Amino acid sequence: MRRITWVLAIIMSVALVLTGCGKKDAASVVKDLNSVSDKLESKQGAYQGSGTMTLYTGEQPQEYKVEVWYKNPSYYRISLSNVQKDVKQIVLRNDEGVFVLTPSLGKSFRFQSDWPDSQGQVYLYQTLLKGIVSDNNRQFVEDGDNYVFEVAANYQSSALVRQKIWLAKKTYEPKQVQVSDSEAKVVVNVTFDSFKFDPEFAADSFDMQKNMATGSPSESTVAEVDENGNPVVAEDGEQAGQPVAAELGDFGIIEPDYVPAGVKLKDTNKIEGSKDHAVLIRYDGIYQYTIMEARPLDRAVSLAPGSVIDLGFTWALLSGDEQQTLTWMNEGVEYRITSDNLPVTEMMQIAASMEEQSGK
């Protein structure tokens, strides 16, 4: 009887060992992710992914198709397409700098920046890896064929507090990301439908002119600027390197749906006689700021050095020191929020509230 008991104990022990084989805990997965991160930083590091990003920041969810290309050492191409409005924008980084492109309009922003090294992006694999590895208070569970981590969110918006990240068990490729606010409400959801390590990119995959040609006339270019970021004017009076675009027409006045507490609308002025249908909106109170809206006739604009700001639905340029300006394009309209005391987080929230607004 005693022998039978020992035999059963041995069998159960072996069974437990076999059951545990191949099962990983959070520490072993994090160790593997460090190795994946090291490989991405190697000479052969590259990936390509695509999926759907949904923003729950407005009255109605906004859905975008997102495509991400990365190639070591610092080449990036991210394409965002608004499903409802059929608008596509591309942020590109290559040896020449960082570009924000709207191919259908031939519009380009170009500036020097270390983006995205200093800023997290919810659709960038490196950002997700960094979030998991750096959070010692991470939570970890298994969900079918995926490992799920819940960690702190480290993005430009302070409203984004926590994130859940689903990674495939076999390959560690991203499957889904949910970013939540302080009330545990999902604000951003990204679902990847494809992801591939070590893809083969064409030689011109990260070329600015090649990417502009995907939806714009072949003559699209980037304007030359001086050291202050002002367009260079050629001898004949035209801006250097810029073909003239046809006038797109009046777009009305687009007011933000969000106004910071303690701030009120001061006045709204349409600048008479302006060919770009410019509008100036001024706000006063705890913060003083202006919003400039226009449909510029130039096909491409290059701005002074600044930082790339991810607005979720598009990218913006933040420039200036004591007085800061946030500039972005949406459906052919260029917006500029300028202030010497409005926090960047408030600028971002104002910009996001204008995405669904139409001219009045």
Side-chain angles (χ1 to χ4, degrees):
M1 191 70 181
R2 186 176 295 175
R3 180 179 295 178
I4 293 174
T5 302
W6 275 104
V7 170
L8 288 174
I10 293 171
I11 292 174
M12 291 178 66
S13 298
V14 172
L16 287 172
V17 171
L18 292 175
T19 301
C21 285
K23 189 172 183 179
K24 295 185 175 182
D25 59 10
S28 59
V29 174
V30 169
K31 183 178 179 180
D32 289 345
L33 294 180
N34 274 312
S35 298
V36 173
S37 182
D38 290 342
K39 185 177 179 181
L40 290 178
E41 297 300 320
S42 69
K43 187 176 181 180
Q44 293 77 27
Y47 65 79
Q48 181 176 3
S50 65
T52 302
M53 178 174 68
T54 306
L55 303 180
Y56 299 94
T57 52
E59 294 183 2
Q60 297 294 328
Q62 292 291 309
E63 195 171 278
Y64 301 84
K65 292 294 182 182
V66 58
E67 187 175 31
V68 183
W69 298 357
Y70 163 77
K71 182 180 179 181
N72 186 274
S74 57
Y75 292 174
Y76 290 89
R77 179 191 183 276
I78 300 166
S79 169
L80 273 182
S81 302
N82 187 306
V83 176
Q84 292 88 353
K85 299 179 181 179
D86 193 29
V87 176
K88 180 178 182 178
Q89 288 191 305
I90 297 171
V91 62
L92 191 73
R93 178 176 173 177
N94 56 29
D95 292 335
E96 299 174 357
V98 178
F99 300 84
V100 177
L101 314 175
T102 307
S104 61
L105 300 176
K107 287 289 296 183
S108 314
F109 293 132
R110 177 189 176 186
F111 44 94
Q112 298 300 317
S113 171
D114 61 353
W115 179 93
D117 298 341
S118 60
Q119 301 168 17
Q121 309 288 338
V122 66
Y123 33 72
L124 291 183
Y125 187 52
Q126 292 96 322
T127 299
L128 304 181
L129 293 182
K130 184 177 181 181
I132 293 172
V133 172
S134 63
D135 190 347
N136 293 325
N137 296 316
R138 69 183 76 88
Q139 297 179 20
F140 171 80
V141 296
E142 294 187 32
D143 181 13
D145 295 330
N146 301 313
Y147 295 123
V148 184
F149 286 91
E150 184 173 349
V151 296
N154 185 22
Y155 299 107
Q156 289 173 321
S157 174
S158 58
L160 304 178
V161 178
R162 300 286 293 175
Q163 60 181 339
K164 291 179 69 174
I165 303 168
W166 284 257
L167 302 177
K169 286 183 177 179
K170 293 183 178 180
T171 61
Y172 294 127
E173 63 189 63
K175 291 297 184 180
Q176 186 179 0
V177 186
Q178 288 184 346
V179 189
S180 305
D181 61 16
S182 59
E183 299 179 352
K185 177 184 176 182
V186 175
V187 180
V188 183
N189 181 79
V190 178
T191 302
F192 290 88
D193 52 44
S194 69
F195 194 91
K196 181 181 179 182
F197 291 106
D198 305 320
E200 291 292 334
F201 292 115
D204 57 359
S205 294
F206 300 91
D207 179 75
M208 191 281 292
Q209 293 290 354
K210 170 67 175 180
N211 282 279
M212 283 295 287
T214 60
S216 64
S218 59
E219 70 270 13
S220 295
T221 184
V222 177
E224 297 180 17
V225 296
D226 60 22
E227 64 274 10
N228 298 315
N230 299 313
V232 175
V233 179
E235 293 182 358
D236 58 2
E238 295 291 337
Q239 289 187 9
Q242 292 202 54
V244 178
E247 188 174 332
L248 294 176
D250 193 354
F251 55 87
I253 299 174
I254 302 173
E255 296 184 13
D257 189 48
Y258 170 78
V259 177
V263 174
K264 291 184 178 180
L265 174 65
K266 183 177 181 180
D267 53 40
T268 301
N269 298 289
K270 296 200 72 169
I271 301 177
E272 298 296 332
S274 62
K275 293 183 179 180
D276 56 5
H277 307 282
V279 174
L280 183 66
I281 309 173
R282 297 194 297 175
Y283 291 83
D284 202 356
I286 296 177
Y287 306 122
Q288 299 82 43
Y289 59 92
T290 62
I291 301 176
M292 175 71 80
E293 305 168 356
R295 270 201 171 127
L297 298 179
D298 55 294
R299 297 199 59 84
V301 177
S302 184
L303 300 180
S307 303
V308 183
I309 301 294
D310 184 1
L311 298 179
F313 61 94
T314 188
W315 298 276
L317 172 70
L318 181 67
S319 57
D321 295 317
E322 293 184 4
Q323 185 178 72
Q324 292 187 305
T325 298
L326 188 71
T327 305
W328 74 98
M329 290 286 299
N330 192 28
E331 296 189 74
V333 178
E334 181 178 293
Y335 299 86
R336 293 173 181 257
I337 300 177
T338 300
S339 175
D340 57 11
N341 67 348
L342 182 66
V344 175
T345 53
E346 293 285 0
M347 287 186 175
M348 294 171 63
Q349 196 164 346
I350 294 168
S353 74
M354 300 177 74
E355 201 267 341
E356 298 179 43
Q357 303 301 311
S358 57
K360 298 178 182 179

